[in-house]
Structures are given as C-alpha cells and as structure tokens.
Amino acid sequence: MDDYKKQERKKNLEAFTRQGILDGAIDLLMRDGIQGLTMDRVAAEAGVAKGTLYVYFTNKEEILDAALDASFDPLIRELSDLLDDDRPPDRKLTDFALCNLRFFDERRELIRVFFFDRERVHSKKNHYADNRYWAFVQRVSGVLDEGIRQGLFVPLDSQKAAAMFIEANMGVVMQRIHGGISGDVEKDARQIANIFMEGLRNRK
Amino acid sequence: MDDYKKQERKKNLEAFTRQGILDGAIDLLMRDGIQGLTMDRVAAEAGVAKGTLYVYFTNKEEILDAALDASFDPLIRELSDLLDDDRPPDRKLTDFALCNLRFFDERRELIRVFFFDRERVHSKKNHYADNRYWAFVQRVSGVLDEGIRQGLFVPLDSQKAAAMFIEANMGVVMQRIHGGISGDVEKDARQIANIFMEGLRNRK
Amino acid sequence: MDDYKKQERKKNLEAFTRQGILDGAIDLLMRDGIQGLTMDRVAAEAGVAKGTLYVYFTNKEEILDAALDASFDPLIRELSDLLDDDRPPDRKLTDFALCNLRFFDERRELIRVFFFDRERVHSKKNHYADNRYWAFVQRVSGVLDEGIRQGLFVPLDSQKAAAMFIEANMGVVMQRIHGGISGDVEKDARQIANIFMEGLRNRK
Amino acid sequence: MDDYKKQERKKNLEAFTRQGILDGAIDLLMRDGIQGLTMDRVAAEAGVAKGTLYVYFTNKEEILDAALDASFDPLIRELSDLLDDDRPPDRKLTDFALCNLRFFDERRELIRVFFFDRERVHSKKNHYADNRYWAFVQRVSGVLDEGIRQGLFVPLDSQKAAAMFIEANMGVVMQRIHGGISGDVEKDARQIANIFMEGLRNRK
DNA sequence: GATGAATGAGTTTTCATTCAT
DNA sequence: TATGAATGAAAACTCATTCAT
C-alpha cells in the first residue's frame, strides 16, 4: 500500500471516530439537553474512552459547538437551499416557515437546545451558532428587500422584520410543542407567512 | 418600643436581607448568566455568609426562581396593567411592543436569562416562569380575540398568532441589542404592531 | 411578693422551660433517632428559640445526654426498685427480663437509641449512660452473687454472667421487634430467666 | 504483553486501589468510629484524591457498607465454617463463643461499629449487615433445633434462644474490653456455652 | 493514536453555635 | 432571660481535564 493510500485510510478512520463522537453527543443532546452532556456520557455513548475525546476535540466546548452545529445542519441546509433558489419572495417565506415547523416537529427536544444555545451565545463573542443565526436574519432580510424591490412588500426596516419573522416561527413551534402539535404544519406555516404578508387587519 | 413596632422592624429587617440576597442574585444573573449563579457568589455579592442563604431560601432553585421572578416583575406588571385597561386592541399591541422594547433596552442582559428560563422551563413541568409565559400568550390571544369580535382583525388561530407576536417582539429586542440599539423604540414598536396588523403586502 | 418567693417562682419557671426542652428532645429522639436530633428541631419541638437552648444547656451533647437519661429513666427506676427489694434472686432475674421486654415493646424506637448510645459511649470516656450501663451490670452481678451465696446458683464469674444476661435480654427485645412482637411478654421473660437458670440441657 | 495479561494487570491494579480505599476506611472506622468516616479522611487515609473514591464507589454509603462487610468478613467466615461442619451442637456453641471472643479481643474497636451497624440497620430496611445478623440468628437457631432433635436440649423457642446466645456473647465481649480483657478466652467461652447449656442452677 | 485511572477545584447543603438586641 | 438572624466550618458529591502506559 502506498503512502498516499495509507494516509487516506487514516484520515477516513479519524473522520469516522470523530463523527462517532459527534453522533453520540447529538443523541445525548436531544435526549437530555445540554445539561445532560457530560464527557463521561459522550464517551460511553460513542463507545470510546474518555481520553479519546481529547484527541479529537480540545475541550468540551468544542464538542458542544460541533454537536450543535451538526444538529441544526439539516435545517440550515434546507433553509439555505430554499432561500437560494428562485421562488418568489412570498413563497419563500411560507416555505421557510414550513421547514422550521417540520424540523422541530420531529426534533422537539432541539427547541430547548436552540434557546439555550442563544444563552451561551451571548455570553461569548463570535460564537459560531450566533453567527449562523444572524446570517439567517441577513438572508431573510434579503428576501424581504427583494420583495420590496419588486413592489410586493411595503418598504420597511427589513432587518428587524426578518428577525421578527424568524422569532415568530419559533413562537409557533413552541405553541405546537406546548399544545401537543395540534393542527397540520402546512396550515400553521401559511398562517405565519400570511400574518406577515397580509397582517391581521380586516379590510372587509 | 411596643411589640407591634418591634415585630414590624423585624419583619423589615428580614425582608431587607432577603431582598439583598435576591438583588445579589439578580446582579449576578445579569452579569454572568445562570451558569454564573453559584451559592458562593450569591453570598459574596449579597455580603452575607453562605449559610444565610439557606435561612431565607430552601435551596438554590428557590433563589433562582425568585431572582428570575423579581427580574421580570416590572415588565410583567407593566404588561399586565396594559392588557387590563380599556385601550382598543390594536393600541394594546403597539403598547405591548413598546413596553417590551423599553424593558430590554435598559436591561439587555436579561434577554439571555429570558431565553434560558424557557430552557429550564421545558425540562421541568409546571415551572412558574413557564406558566407566566403561557399566561401572557393567553392574554395576548384574548386581545386578538377581542379584535376579531370587534371586526377589527380577520378570524384566525389567535393562540398561535399571540405566540408569534410575543416572539416577534423578542426578535426585535435581539436585533436592537445586536445592532447597538439603533432606531428609536417607538418606531420599532410601531413596526412590530404594524406588520402584525397590516402585514407586509403592498396594496398600492 | 418577697424575694424568696420570687426566686422560687423563677426556679420553677426555669425548671419548666428546661423540662420542656428535654421533652421535645425525647419526642424527637423516639421519632427520628439520634440523627434526627438537631438543635433547630429541638427548639421548634419545645416551642422556644434556638438561642434559649443554650441558656439551659451548654451544647448539644448536654441535651442529648440529658434526653437519653430521661428516656431511660422509667426503665432504670423500675429495674432499680426491682433489684433493691427482697424477692429471691431467681425471681429478680425473671422480673428484670419482664421489665426490659415491656419497656421496649412500648418504646421500640429506643432500642436504636440504646445501641447507638453505646457507640457514642465508647468513643468518649466517662460517659454517663455508659456508667449507668455498667452500674446495672454490677447490680445484676450482685444478684447473682447473692444467689451463689444462698447456694442457689453455681459459683461462676458473676460479672460476665451479668453482662451476658443483660445482653441476652436485648437479644430477645430485638427478636420481638424484628418478628413483630410475637408471643407474650411473660413467656419470653420466663424463657430468658429459665435458660440462664436451668440451661438448655435436657436432663430427662 | 498479550491482551490477556494486560487486562489481568489492569484488573489487579483496579482491585488494588479499591482495596486501598477500603483499608483506609476500615482503619478510620476502627480508629474514630462511624462518625469519623468522612470522604475527605478516607481519601487522605487511602492516599488518593477525593474524586477517586467516587470512581470506585457510588457514594459514601457504599464505602461504609463495603468497609463494614470487609471488617467482619473474617469473623463471618470462621463462624460460618464452624456452624457448617459436623461437630455436635454443644461443641458448636462453645466454639462459636470462642470465635467471637477471639475476634473482638484483637479488634476491640469493632465492637462499637458492630452495635452502630445495628442502629443503621434498623433505620433502613433490607440492609445487608442486618441480613447477615439475622442469618446468624437463624443458623444458631438451627444448631439448637438439631440439639433438641437429638434430645440434647430441652424443647424451646430456638429463635429467641439463638438471639439471646449471640447477644450474650457480645455482653461478654464488652465485659472483656471494659475490664481490660481479664481471664483467658477459653474459660470465658466455656462459661458462655455452659450457662446456656447447663444454666446457673446449682443441682448440688 | 487510544486508553481510562486519577485528579482536585468547585458546587450544594447542613447545622451547631454565637451574639446583638 | 429570651430571642433568632447570622455564621462558617465541614460534609458529600460532580466532572472536565490530564497523563502514564
């Protein structure tokens, strides 16, 4: 076996162990929340020795960060794709809401993590997840700007509206979880987008 | 000194120490977040011995709960009063937003605690703060129902809309804090209420 | 009121408070054992302030000692009277056992205290309860000596036999408590005395 | 080194540390009694960090239990063997007493622990040491039953007699310790068994 | 690289005792 | 004398991290 292949294999093996640790951490995170994430348990869950964790990560925080990243990755990717393509702005908002609702319906434990993550976020500058959050605010704000430019939406502070929109989504997610997920996702998603686009006002 | 006065004074003294502990806890909470709240630090901050904490509170959880309660008490009271009086529903929404924005502008550290509280909340049934949160969802939902009854708003799932509205407020709060509190409060408050009531749609 | 009367009254009052504290301690002792005896609880039980305990007793140990003394006082007195009067030695042994069994049947919580007291006893020289225990060994030993002198019992090391006899009583007490107090007291008492006096040997 | 050996060595090392902790705990127990058994001191005595204790035992109670077990193990084993073999019943009683006396002569501090253990025992159901105590009562009771069957002993409540016998042993142990261990063991053991078998009565 | 035994600083909690009023 | 608020030393337990193998 030549050196290149050897190195390749090694790299794969490493990636494999690293992923295993991360998977264990994510499982733990979804099961017991951030408080339940101890190095002992991560090691046990991943089936490696405690010391091994420190071979792949410098400390607990790094594992936590990576696990959080990985947890939200499917959502992030989906939302990203959605915002990237060429649907009309109003459609994008509805689909954005739909994605959110679906994601948390299936992973309701993550809502806790989501909020907690923000708590961590604000205690430490330049946190990755934080950046990601604000990146989404930016992008939704871009969608709104696009709608404004197209004359679809009224001119307004699109950044604030974007933040509002994202949070409003979380509000409905919490409502759904709190109430045992009543009502179908599509209807709720439409309502979110609707209120944002049409408002509550009855124009008869 | 007669007995009544003595007892009165004692009661005041007691309340004083208790409040001191609570103040210390709140300060700590706002400075370092929930993770920074240790009994040692609370005692130091309040200028009492560690044991004294246990004279006034049965355990750490009680202090935390009381501190959280106390932190949000001014906001809760203000919002409560506001929702109770006889303004028209649309005005209530604007004022609600205004209160929120003002409160967190001045106590921006509390936003972290606010979110974290919810994290704690969902891991433990029947938490007080949780009840308080959902009580507000209920009351805002009541305002919406009133507006619907008056023909002011279109009929919709008022509970979900209420949750959306409250969260949307938090979204703007975070925006303001993130961006260094740009723009005046009234304008932002009006925008929140506006989007909810009128929507984004440009009707030319 | 003259000075004498005043002082008398004071003394009575003092004795009254002291007794109240002791009564509270005894109740606590019987309810929760020695581990459950804290100064806080004694004060609450006695209906006085914590500080007051230190007016009447120098420290916790003194209260504990006094309470233990008082707890076993009825037993001590009864056994004392019994050993003092002029029954024949063999009768004394039976009656001794009977007293023991009856006492602990009604106050089974004290058996724990009894054993624990010995634990405390041996960790500290010259403990009162300890002395009392050995005093009883002495007196039972005296009864045996009397029986020996009368030609009733065979000559033997009466001190050791006395200790054996007292402990054997405790053994049956524990048996009774363990088995839910089966069999009547008189029969058990007679058996204890019998075995000691007649032995197990079958002489056909 | 092959895998088997490695694992073997590891197991030994582990057992070694565990035993070291236990030895420390036992020493402490014999020196200062149960009250003197704190995790800090056990760690210091065993020459390990406090945290290490929790690697090998889940909590203090487990250490205490294990230490008590280990302390009495030699006695338990010896008594067990003795009761198991085929000596005649009366011989078994004498030998039982002899074992007891010898054991506590050499480890006189354990007598405190022995009694205290019973205190703990009765405050908590299904404690191991408790079972062990009552198991011995059962087995001695079996010896008595055997003697009765053989026509050696008079028919009586063998359970109660067994409890008496065991406690009587403890009485003599305490006597010996109290009096500075006067008289030789054999004589005392014989006396215990004798009183039980022959009684005190002088038959001329 | 992988291990896992060992660590020890940090955390919550208890409670006998003191002392100013 | 009586009070009870305040104390602080001491106890049990946790867990991220290190390091020799």
Side-chain angles (χ1 to χ4, degrees):
Chain A
M1 204 194 305
D2 57 49
D3 259 21
Y4 172 77
K5 261 196 178 161
K6 227 187 215 160
Q7 207 162 339
E8 190 69 3
R9 201 151 74 90
K10 198 170 170 186
K11 204 173 265 175
N12 284 339
L13 199 68
E14 265 179 33
F16 183 76
T17 309
R18 196 189 146 90
Q19 194 54 47
I21 292 171
L22 236 36
D23 288 344
I26 294 169
D27 282 359
L28 234 42
L29 222 44
M30 310 231 309
R31 206 179 321 130
D32 309 317
I34 288 190
Q35 319 232 24
L37 196 91
T38 70
M39 297 303 261
D40 275 275
R41 287 202 216 173
V42 172
E45 192 78 18
V48 298
K50 236 189 307 184
T52 308
L53 303 181
Y54 290 87
V55 175
Y56 291 93
F57 301 88
T58 47
N59 53 27
K60 184 184 175 180
E61 193 170 19
E62 218 178 270
I63 293 185
L64 185 52
D65 285 351
L68 287 173
D69 271 9
S71 302
F72 289 102
D73 234 38
L75 177 63
I76 298 293
R77 202 183 336 266
E78 227 180 333
L79 293 180
S80 250
D81 289 352
L82 186 162
L83 294 171
D84 275 344
D85 83 9
D86 53 2
R87 289 164 244 219
D90 50 356
R91 182 68 197 282
K92 280 187 179 172
L93 294 186
T94 316
D95 290 349
F96 188 97
L98 197 57
C99 273
N100 264 305
L101 264 44
R102 278 199 184 120
F103 181 80
F104 285 106
D105 266 8
E106 285 162 17
R107 269 156 287 199
R108 56 181 66 190
E109 291 76 14
L110 279 184
I111 189 76
R112 280 165 44 205
V113 176
F114 178 82
F115 284 119
F116 187 85
D117 193 31
R118 289 216 293 230
E119 145 78 6
R120 288 180 63 246
V121 151
H122 287 270
S123 62
K124 232 188 152 173
K125 297 297 161 218
N126 296 325
H127 190 273
Y128 180 73
D130 193 37
N131 292 338
R132 220 149 61 155
Y133 175 77
W134 292 113
F136 266 98
V137 172
Q138 284 310 324
R139 298 183 63 176
V140 170
S141 146
V143 172
L144 297 180
D145 284 334
E146 198 189 331
I148 294 169
R149 214 167 32 249
Q150 294 177 12
L152 212 65
F153 301 147
V154 293
L156 43 55
D157 183 333
S158 64
Q159 299 245 344
K160 269 161 193 154
M164 277 175 64
F165 178 72
I166 290 175
E167 297 292 329
N169 272 278
M170 298 319 298
V172 173
V173 166
M174 285 184 65
Q175 261 286 343
R176 290 178 65 82
I177 290 173
H178 189 69
I181 304 194
S182 59
D184 65 305
V185 213
E186 276 83 7
K187 206 185 117 219
D188 279 358
R190 235 175 304 125
Q191 192 182 51
I192 298 172
N194 239 33
I195 289 183
F196 261 82
M197 291 185 300
E198 310 295 343
L200 307 170
R201 186 79 66 195
N202 186 5
R203 298 187 183 72
K204 187 120 38 67
Chain B
M1 206 192 306
D2 58 52
D3 259 23
Y4 174 77
K5 263 195 177 163
K6 223 186 217 163
Q7 207 161 339
E8 191 68 1
R9 201 151 77 87
K10 194 175 288 176
K11 204 172 264 174
N12 284 338
L13 196 70
E14 229 186 281
F16 183 76
T17 307
R18 197 189 146 90
Q19 196 54 48
I21 292 172
L22 234 38
D23 288 346
I26 294 169
D27 282 359
L28 230 46
L29 222 45
M30 309 227 310
R31 202 179 324 132
D32 309 318
I34 288 191
Q35 319 231 28
L37 196 91
T38 70
M39 297 305 261
D40 274 283
R41 285 204 217 172
V42 173
E45 191 76 18
V48 298
K50 231 186 308 183
T52 307
L53 304 182
Y54 290 88
V55 174
Y56 292 91
F57 302 88
T58 44
N59 53 28
K60 184 182 175 179
E61 193 172 17
E62 220 179 86
I63 292 186
L64 186 52
D65 286 352
L68 288 174
D69 270 10
S71 304
F72 288 104
D73 237 35
L75 177 63
I76 298 294
R77 203 184 334 267
E78 226 180 334
L79 293 180
S80 250
D81 288 351
L82 187 161
L83 293 171
D84 275 343
D85 82 10
D86 52 2
R87 285 164 247 221
D90 50 355
R91 182 68 198 284
K92 279 187 180 173
L93 294 187
T94 317
D95 290 349
F96 189 97
L98 197 58
C99 272
N100 263 306
L101 264 45
R102 278 198 183 122
F103 180 81
F104 286 107
D105 267 9
E106 284 162 17
R107 270 156 286 201
R108 55 182 67 192
E109 289 79 10
L110 277 184
I111 189 75
R112 280 165 41 209
V113 175
F114 177 83
F115 283 118
F116 184 85
D117 194 30
R118 291 215 293 231
E119 143 76 7
R120 288 179 62 243
V121 151
H122 286 272
S123 61
K124 223 180 162 180
K125 298 294 161 225
N126 294 325
H127 190 272
Y128 181 71
D130 192 36
N131 292 339
R132 227 151 55 154
Y133 174 76
W134 292 112
F136 266 99
V137 172
Q138 284 311 323
R139 297 182 66 176
V140 170
S141 146
V143 172
L144 298 180
D145 284 333
E146 200 189 328
I148 294 169
R149 218 171 26 251
Q150 293 178 10
L152 212 66
F153 301 147
V154 292
L156 44 55
D157 185 333
S158 63
Q159 299 244 347
K160 268 160 193 155
M164 279 176 63
F165 178 70
I166 289 175
E167 298 291 328
N169 271 279
M170 297 321 297
V172 174
V173 165
M174 286 184 66
Q175 263 285 348
R176 291 179 64 83
I177 290 172
H178 189 70
I181 305 195
S182 59
D184 63 307
V185 212
E186 275 82 8
K187 204 183 121 224
D188 280 359
R190 234 175 305 125
Q191 191 182 51
I192 298 172
N194 239 36
I195 290 184
F196 262 81
M197 289 184 300
E198 310 295 343
L200 307 170
R201 186 79 67 196
N202 187 4
R203 299 187 182 72
K204 188 134 20 90
Chain C
M1 207 193 304
D2 56 52
D3 259 22
Y4 173 76
K5 261 194 179 165
K6 226 184 215 163
Q7 205 161 338
E8 190 69 1
R9 202 152 75 89
K10 200 174 179 184
K11 204 171 265 175
N12 283 338
L13 199 69
E14 266 180 32
F16 183 76
T17 308
R18 197 188 147 89
Q19 193 54 46
I21 292 172
L22 235 37
D23 287 345
I26 294 169
D27 281 358
L28 234 43
L29 220 44
M30 309 231 311
R31 206 180 318 132
D32 309 315
I34 288 190
Q35 319 229 26
L37 196 92
T38 69
M39 296 303 262
D40 275 275
R41 287 202 215 172
V42 172
E45 192 78 18
V48 298
K50 235 188 310 184
T52 308
L53 302 182
Y54 289 87
V55 174
Y56 291 92
F57 301 88
T58 46
N59 55 25
K60 185 185 175 180
E61 193 171 18
E62 218 177 271
I63 293 184
L64 185 52
D65 286 351
L68 287 174
D69 271 9
S71 301
F72 288 104
D73 234 39
L75 178 63
I76 298 293
R77 204 185 331 271
E78 226 180 333
L79 293 181
S80 253
D81 290 351
L82 187 161
L83 294 171
D84 275 344
D85 81 11
D86 52 3
R87 286 166 245 220
D90 49 355
R91 182 67 198 283
K92 279 187 180 172
L93 294 187
T94 316
D95 291 348
F96 188 98
L98 196 58
C99 272
N100 264 305
L101 262 46
R102 278 200 184 119
F103 180 80
F104 286 107
D105 266 9
E106 283 163 18
R107 269 156 287 200
R108 56 180 68 191
E109 291 77 13
L110 280 184
I111 189 76
R112 280 166 45 206
V113 176
F114 178 82
F115 284 119
F116 186 86
D117 192 32
R118 290 218 288 233
E119 146 78 6
R120 290 180 62 243
V121 153
H122 287 270
S123 62
K124 235 189 149 174
K125 296 299 162 215
N126 295 326
H127 191 273
Y128 181 71
D130 192 37
N131 293 339
R132 220 149 61 156
Y133 175 76
W134 293 113
F136 266 99
V137 172
Q138 283 312 323
R139 297 182 65 175
V140 171
S141 146
V143 172
L144 298 181
D145 283 334
E146 198 188 331
I148 295 170
R149 217 169 27 251
Q150 294 178 10
L152 213 64
F153 301 148
V154 293
L156 43 53
D157 185 330
S158 64
Q159 300 244 344
K160 268 160 193 156
M164 278 174 64
F165 179 70
I166 290 174
E167 297 293 326
N169 271 280
M170 298 318 297
V172 173
V173 165
M174 289 184 64
Q175 262 286 346
R176 289 178 66 83
I177 290 173
H178 188 70
I181 305 197
S182 58
D184 63 305
V185 214
E186 276 82 10
K187 204 183 120 222
D188 279 358
R190 232 174 306 128
Q191 193 181 51
I192 298 173
N194 238 33
I195 291 185
F196 262 81
M197 292 185 298
E198 309 296 341
L200 307 169
R201 185 79 66 196
N202 186 4
R203 296 185 185 77
K204 186 122 34 75
Chain D
M1 206 192 310
D2 57 52
D3 259 22
Y4 173 77
K5 261 196 182 163
K6 223 187 218 161
Q7 206 161 339
E8 191 69 4
R9 201 152 74 89
K10 194 177 288 177
K11 204 173 266 175
N12 285 339
L13 197 70
E14 229 185 281
F16 183 75
T17 308
R18 198 190 145 88
Q19 196 53 50
I21 292 172
L22 232 39
D23 287 345
I26 293 169
D27 282 359
L28 231 44
L29 221 45
M30 308 225 313
R31 202 180 322 131
D32 309 318
I34 289 191
Q35 318 231 27
L37 196 92
T38 71
M39 297 304 263
D40 274 282
R41 286 202 216 172
V42 173
E45 190 77 19
V48 299
K50 226 187 315 183
T52 307
L53 303 181
Y54 290 90
V55 174
Y56 291 91
F57 300 88
T58 44
N59 52 27
K60 185 184 173 178
E61 193 173 16
E62 221 179 86
I63 292 186
L64 186 52
D65 285 351
L68 288 175
D69 270 11
S71 303
F72 288 103
D73 238 35
L75 177 63
I76 297 293
R77 204 183 334 267
E78 227 181 331
L79 293 180
S80 252
D81 289 350
L82 186 160
L83 294 170
D84 275 342
D85 82 10
D86 52 2
R87 282 165 251 221
D90 50 355
R91 183 64 200 283
K92 278 187 181 173
L93 295 187
T94 316
D95 290 350
F96 189 96
L98 195 58
C99 272
N100 264 305
L101 263 46
R102 277 199 184 120
F103 179 81
F104 286 108
D105 266 7
E106 283 162 19
R107 271 155 286 200
R108 54 181 68 190
E109 288 77 13
L110 277 184
I111 189 74
R112 280 165 40 209
V113 175
F114 178 83
F115 283 119
F116 185 84
D117 193 30
R118 290 215 293 232
E119 143 78 7
R120 290 177 62 241
V121 148
H122 286 271
S123 61
K124 224 181 161 179
K125 297 293 161 223
N126 292 327
H127 190 274
Y128 180 71
D130 192 38
N131 294 338
R132 227 154 53 157
Y133 175 76
W134 292 112
F136 267 99
V137 172
Q138 283 310 323
R139 298 181 65 177
V140 170
S141 143
V143 172
L144 298 181
D145 283 333
E146 199 189 331
I148 294 170
R149 216 171 25 253
Q150 294 178 10
L152 213 64
F153 301 147
V154 293
L156 43 54
D157 185 332
S158 64
Q159 299 243 347
K160 267 159 194 156
M164 278 175 64
F165 178 71
I166 290 175
E167 297 292 328
N169 272 279
M170 299 319 298
V172 173
V173 165
M174 289 184 64
Q175 261 288 343
R176 290 178 65 83
I177 290 172
H178 188 71
I181 307 196
S182 58
D184 65 305
V185 212
E186 275 82 10
K187 204 184 120 221
D188 280 357
R190 232 174 306 126
Q191 191 180 51
I192 298 173
N194 239 34
I195 290 184
F196 263 80
M197 291 185 297
E198 308 296 342
L200 305 171
R201 186 80 67 195
N202 187 4
R203 294 183 186 77
K204 189 141 13 94

